[in-house]
Amino acid sequence: MRIKTFEAPTLQDALEKARQELGEDAVVLNTRYVKPSGLLGIRGTPKVELTAAVQSEEPVLAKTNELASRSNNGVVNSTSSGSEDGLLSSADSCAQQISSETAAGHKAVDCSGLGKASSEIEVIKWELKRLGLIVENLLSARTSAVPHMLMSEHTAHASALVRAGVEAEVAYKHLADLVHLEDSDLLARALASKLECFIRPFDCSRSRVVAMVGPTGSGKTTTLAKLAAKWSIERGKDVALVTVDTYRIGAVDQLRTYARIMGVPLEVAFSPADLAAAIHKHAARDLVLIDTVGRSHRSEEHLRELKTFLDAVESIETHLVVSAALSPEVQYEVVEKFSIFSPTCLIITKLDEVSSYGVLVNLPFRSGLPISCTTSGQNVPNDLSIADARDIAAAVVGRIPAEAVR
Ligand code: GDP
């Protein structure tokens, strides 16, 4: 990608400069009026500064030479009177001029011979494209509270990252050097390297006691069963399950059924002391997974009560389970409410219920918490993925809506 800033007395002149140097595919990233220099701006004339970018690294001279030779070979009918052809033939004659003058060693190129009307159409086309991108970006960012300044500086270009569901605020604040990438492979690779520090793959070698916390219905019990199956059946580890979920009728039975099928022990804790005893009982196990009470995350009393349970266990890792299907506002509320548990990781569930995977970037960057695993379906144990930066980046970029791909 080439990004260049052009200065000219008027916007039209700046656009013309950008078009000549970067070609027709260039996109305007930003425009600003520069005050004249000198005391109170009395001396000098105001200027327009325009920043534009083009995806291709191909020098525009090669393109202009190509245009010139196409014209010479008669591929484009330079005598055509149609308006589009008229524009093309103007461009071609300009290209020929650039080509021959550059060959003759001249640096300055005067394209002022282009018809005034056609250059005005060009300005309108550029402006329409720019406005379209602004609207697109605003729509993508409608759920985020993007600071006004930030938006006004950057809305000229709805980047692929934003189209992939990454909130504009996250994109421009934390991933600013990625917002101009349009090539999917490049973007996925760059995003993967940014995500590395937000990935903490689930692994029982760090902590052998892991608790799941999160709102009711977020998928804690199901995810716990998936993890237990993966570690006990696939990896041959010694796993035990403990539940402090004594509030929901049937919740213990659900876990008991999973435990029986997998052949792993299940303990039910009715008090913090019970929980500590259960952990002690399974001290020799490779992994002890704790399921927690399912009640509203808005009940502070419940959250404090649950905390007294988990505080009874030493060396515990707490994973916050958040459903991708919740609105971003509720997801952030969940992160805030459960911060009393100082979770070490996020588990993002129900990816099969959403069309964009932006949450896999938004939530870690906003919360500062890494992802340990994700789930995308109700099947135990299959619909579970241990977090991997490259897989997540590819999945996020792979969800850019087809109609939005340029
Ligand atoms: P808990 O209250 O947090 O323990 O949530 P559960 O594990 O009981 O899950 C609540 C519901 O969500 C159940 O119907 C699960 O089958 C379902 N569920 C769990 N994980 C997923 C997932 O990744 N995708 C979908 N679509 N449903 C899920």
Side-chain angles (χ1 to χ4, degrees), residues 75-374:
V75 176
V76 175
N77 180 4
S78 60
T79 57
S80 167
S81 58
S83 62
E84 282 230 335
D85 287 351
L87 271 177
L88 260 181
S89 63
S90 300
D92 278 1
S93 60
C94 181
Q96 272 177 313
Q97 194 180 348
I98 292 169
S99 169
S100 59
E101 292 197 13
T102 309
H106 294 286
K107 278 191 185 146
V109 178
D110 180 11
C111 281
S112 58
L114 286 176
K116 193 171 180 298
S118 68
S119 79
E120 272 170 7
I121 290 169
E122 285 297 285
V123 173
I124 293 166
K125 274 166 71 180
W126 279 80
E127 278 303 309
L128 277 176
K129 194 170 177 183
R130 202 168 96 87
L131 283 171
L133 291 170
I134 290 171
V135 171
E136 207 176 298
N137 205 352
L138 282 171
L139 286 175
S140 306
R142 67 189 183 283
T143 52
S144 68
V146 180
H148 190 69
M149 277 297 292
L150 202 65
M151 286 301 285
S152 60
E153 277 174 25
H154 295 287
T155 45
H157 183 71
S159 78
L161 199 59
V162 173
R163 300 198 307 276
V166 175
E167 287 169 10
E169 186 176 356
V170 172
Y172 289 107
K173 211 162 153 186
H174 302 287
L175 303 164
D177 46 340
L178 270 59
V179 293
H180 302 306
L181 294 178
E182 289 295 316
D183 179 272
S184 314
D185 291 339
L186 272 181
L187 179 59
R189 263 186 281 152
L191 184 59
S193 77
K194 295 276 181 186
L195 280 172
E196 282 295 351
C197 55
F198 287 107
I199 300 297
R200 202 165 189 260
F202 190 96
D203 181 7
C204 59
S205 63
R206 272 196 316 265
S207 171
R208 48 163 224 98
V209 182
V210 179
M212 309 277 147
V213 296
T216 320
S218 56
K220 294 183 295 296
T221 307
T222 315
T223 305
L224 184 138
K226 290 172 182 172
L227 286 166
K230 198 166 189 69
W231 258 258
S232 68
I233 300 166
E234 282 183 24
R235 303 195 180 182
K237 300 285 183 190
D238 253 350
V239 178
L241 306 181
V242 181
T243 182
V244 293
D245 190 341
T246 55
Y247 287 83
R248 265 186 328 173
I249 298 165
V252 175
D253 287 343
Q254 183 189 351
L255 203 53
R256 203 184 299 282
T257 308
Y258 285 131
R260 202 178 48 243
I261 295 168
M262 289 182 274
V264 299
L266 170 70
E267 310 290 338
V268 183
F270 295 99
S271 68
D274 281 355
L275 182 61
I279 301 300
H280 183 71
K281 180 176 169 187
H282 295 287
R285 301 260 170 190
D286 299 311
L287 177 63
V288 181
L289 291 163
I290 305 173
D291 197 7
T292 59
V293 185
R295 276 170 106 196
S296 169
H297 63 274
R298 298 211 166 99
S299 160
E300 304 223 336
E301 188 200 336
H302 152 62
L303 293 178
R304 274 198 303 275
E305 185 192 355
L306 182 55
K307 187 162 160 37
T308 61
F309 271 78
L310 300 186
D311 283 349
V313 183
E314 275 175 26
S315 311
I316 187 172
E317 241 189 42
T318 305
H319 293 220
L320 174 57
V321 182
V322 185
S323 162
L326 295 175
S327 70
E329 288 76 15
V330 178
Q331 287 167 350
Y332 303 139
E333 187 192 336
V334 166
V335 168
E336 199 222 303
K337 296 279 182 199
F338 283 86
S339 62
I340 64 161
F341 297 99
S342 307
T344 35
C345 299
L346 292 169
I347 292 179
I348 300 180
T349 58
K350 308 195 182 185
L351 286 170
D352 54 310
E353 291 186 2
V354 294
S355 54
S356 143
Y357 288 164
V359 62
L360 297 172
V361 178
N362 298 329
L363 215 47
F365 274 99
R366 277 185 177 270
S367 67
L369 291 172
I371 301 176
S372 66
C373 53
T374 60

